[in-house]
Amino acid sequence: MNAEVLTSREEIIAEMVQSIRSFGEKYIAPFIRKWDEEQYFPIEVFKQLGELGLMGVLVPQEYGGTGLGYKEYINAIIELAKFDGSIGLSMAAHNSLCTNHILMFGNEEQKHKYLPKLASAEWIGAWGLTEPNTGSDAANMRTVARKEGEYWVINGAKNFITHGKSGNVAVVIARTGELGDSHGMTAFIVERGTKGFSAGKKEDKLGMRCSETAEMIFEDCYVHESQVLGEVGEGFIQALKVLDGGRISIAALSCGIAEGAYQVALAYSKERQQFGQPISKFQAIAFKLADMATEIEAAKLLTFRAGELKDAGKPVTKEAAMAKYYASETAVRVATEAIQILGGYGYVKDFPVERFFRDSKLCTIGEGTSEIQKLVISRAILK
C-alpha cells in the first residue's frame, strides 16, 4: 500500500471516528440508561447508522455499501461500543453475520436483491445458528429442512438470535443431512413474512439490553430453492468462515467496552479526592489504571492484526480466536477494575461502569465461548 493510499485511509478513519462521536453524543448517550432499563431496541438509531454508511461497512459500493475494510470496521465498532456495548453489538451482528454471509456466499442475484437493503439499514439482518439444545455443538442441530419440489420446508427453532424478532431477513442454517455430519447443513435466506416463520420469546438479559435477542421459530416454513446460499450441504462450513469475521467483530466490541469503562475510571480517579489528593495519586489506583491501559492496547493490537489478515484474504481462524478470546476477557477484567476504582459509585446506575460490566460478560460467550476459542487456538497450534 503506497503512502498516499495509507494517508487517505487514515483520513477516512479519522473522519469516521469523529462522525461516530458526534452522532453518539447526540443520538445515543442521552438515552442509554432509559433504553437499558426498558430493554428498548432503538431501531431508528440503526436506520440513522445506515445513512452514515455504518450498516454496510464491508459491502462493496456496487451493492450499496461503503466498501471499506476491517481496519475501518473495527474502529467503527470500538467507537460505538464506547458509548454503549449493545449498540455496537447490534451493528456488528448485522454487518458480520447476516450481511457478510450473503456477501461471502450469495450469488449475484441474491447480493443485488439483499445487500443494498441491508447496507442502508432499510432492512435489519439476523443470523440463525444457535438452538436451545445446540450451542457449541452446532453439528447436531435439530432444525431440519426437507426438499419438496422447488421448495425446502424448514421446521425447528433458533434461539439467542440478535434481531430475531425485528430482523427483516435472516440467514438460517438448517440440517439437510445426517446428525453430526458437518456437510449435512445448508444455509437459507428467509424473509420476515414468509409463512411459517415467526418470532418467539424475547430474552430478558443481564446486559446488552438494548440489543434485541429473541427466538426464531419455523413451522412448515416453505422456502424456495432460489433462497439457498451457496451449495446444499455447505451451510456449516460457511458458518465457520463467517464466524472468523464475527469473532473479529466481538473482539472489537470488547475493546470498545473496555476502553469506555477505562475512560470513566481514569477521569473519576483524577477528580475523586481522598486524604487531600486525587485517588489517581495512590499507587494502588495508578497501577490498576496501568494494567487496564496495557491490556486494552494489547487487545486492540491482536484485533487489528486479525483484521489486517482478513483484509489480505489470508487464513485468520487462529488469529480471530486469539483476538476474541483475549479482548473479551480483557473487557471483563477492565470493567471489573473500573467498578473497583469508583467504589460505591461504580455499583450504582448514575455511572456507566456497572453497565459496561454487565455488557462485557456477553463478549466471553457470544460467537463461541472463551473455552471454544481456546479449543480453536490449541488445535491450530498443535496441527
Side-chain angles (χ1 to χ4, degrees):
M1 185 177 284
N2 62 46
E4 187 178 335
V5 173
L6 186 63
T7 302
S8 175
R9 193 171 190 187
E10 296 304 325
E11 288 173 351
I12 288 170
I13 291 170
E15 186 177 327
M16 182 185 69
V17 165
Q18 188 53 53
S19 175
I20 293 170
R21 288 177 182 172
S22 299
F23 178 87
E25 290 290 349
K26 186 174 182 180
Y27 296 108
I28 299 176
F31 312 106
I32 294 170
R33 183 168 175 180
K34 186 174 189 293
W35 292 343
D36 179 69
E37 289 174 353
E38 296 177 1
Q39 295 203 72
Y40 174 70
F41 176 52
I43 198 164
E44 67 280 1
V45 167
F46 296 99
K47 303 288 187 183
Q48 291 171 296
L49 290 176
E51 292 173 12
L52 291 176
L54 295 176
M55 298 297 272
V57 180
L58 303 168
V59 176
Q61 292 180 0
E62 65 182 293
Y63 303 119
T66 315
L68 299 175
Y70 269 82
K71 187 173 185 179
E72 292 83 0
Y73 177 51
I74 290 165
N75 273 288
I77 296 172
I78 288 173
E79 291 304 319
L80 282 172
K82 281 157 70 172
F83 285 101
D84 183 62
S86 53
I87 300 296
L89 173 64
S90 272
M91 176 271 201
H94 173 93
N95 273 280
S96 68
L97 299 178
C98 178
T99 304
N100 200 37
H101 199 141
I102 295 172
L103 176 63
M104 289 176 71
F105 298 104
N107 58 39
E108 285 303 308
E109 184 179 347
Q110 290 167 339
K111 289 179 185 179
H112 282 288
K113 181 177 181 180
Y114 293 107
L115 292 179
K117 290 180 179 179
L118 289 164
S120 65
E122 177 186 345
W123 281 15
I124 301 296
W127 192 75
L129 179 66
T130 302
E131 297 185 0
N133 295 311
T134 55
S136 302
D137 186 19
N140 280 306
M141 65 175 58
R142 302 291 172 173
T143 298
V144 298
R146 71 176 192 278
K147 194 81 186 319
E148 272 192 24
E150 295 181 2
Y151 288 85
W152 288 88
V153 186
I154 305 176
N155 280 284
K158 300 290 181 179
N159 74 334
F160 298 133
I161 307 303
T162 305
H163 315 143
K165 184 177 180 180
S166 297
N168 303 93
V169 62
V171 172
V172 180
I173 293 91
R175 187 163 54 80
T176 51
E178 297 300 316
L179 273 172
D181 180 4
S182 62
H183 291 276
M185 287 158 280
T186 302
F188 300 88
I189 304 173
V190 188
E191 295 182 22
R192 186 71 61 183
T194 302
K195 188 178 179 182
F197 174 29
S198 62
K201 174 189 174 187
K202 180 181 175 181
E203 302 295 344
D204 184 3
K205 299 177 297 182
L206 169 72
M208 301 290 191
R209 287 169 62 86
C210 43
S211 174
E212 177 189 278
T213 306
E215 287 181 310
M216 296 193 302
I217 298 169
F218 302 89
E219 297 174 299
D220 288 335
C221 179
Y222 281 74
V223 178
H224 194 264
E225 60 188 8
S226 63
Q227 299 297 94
V228 170
L229 265 172
E231 300 297 324
V232 171
E234 292 299 303
F236 184 62
I237 306 304
Q238 294 171 9
L240 294 178
K241 293 175 182 176
V242 169
L243 282 171
D244 282 343
R247 285 165 181 165
I248 296 172
S249 297
I250 300 297
L253 180 67
S254 303
C255 290
I257 291 169
E259 203 161 331
Y262 165 74
Q263 287 176 354
V264 173
L266 180 66
Y268 180 88
S269 74
K270 293 176 179 178
E271 295 167 4
R272 173 72 166 172
Q273 296 274 332
Q274 291 286 277
F275 306 101
Q277 61 182 336
I279 63 170
S280 60
K281 296 289 186 182
F282 296 107
Q283 192 177 75
I285 302 299
F287 278 14
K288 283 185 188 294
L289 292 166
D291 284 339
M292 293 157 79
T294 302
E295 290 191 27
I296 290 168
E297 193 64 23
K300 287 168 77 173
L301 286 168
L302 280 169
T303 304
F304 280 111
R305 172 60 178 154
E308 185 180 299
L309 291 171
K310 194 81 168 67
D311 276 340
K314 294 180 179 178
V316 74
T317 300
K318 180 186 73 174
E319 289 77 7
M322 285 178 166
K324 196 269 188 192
Y325 167 53
Y326 185 80
S328 64
E329 295 291 343
T330 292
V332 174
R333 285 192 297 269
V334 169
T336 302
E337 289 289 49
I339 289 178
Q340 199 69 16
I341 289 170
L342 269 71
Y345 292 110
Y347 205 69
V348 298
K349 289 182 181 290
D350 291 336
F351 287 83
V353 291
E354 62 83 30
R355 177 171 45 78
F356 284 124
F357 175 77
R358 288 186 286 111
D359 287 349
S360 68
K361 191 58 199 167
L362 182 277
C363 297
T364 70
I365 299 168
E367 299 198 31
T369 61
S370 290
E371 290 73 20
I372 288 294
Q373 304 314 313
K374 288 194 273 190
L375 185 65
V376 171
I377 295 162
S378 61
R379 283 177 175 172
I381 62 179
L382 294 171
K383 267 185 180 176

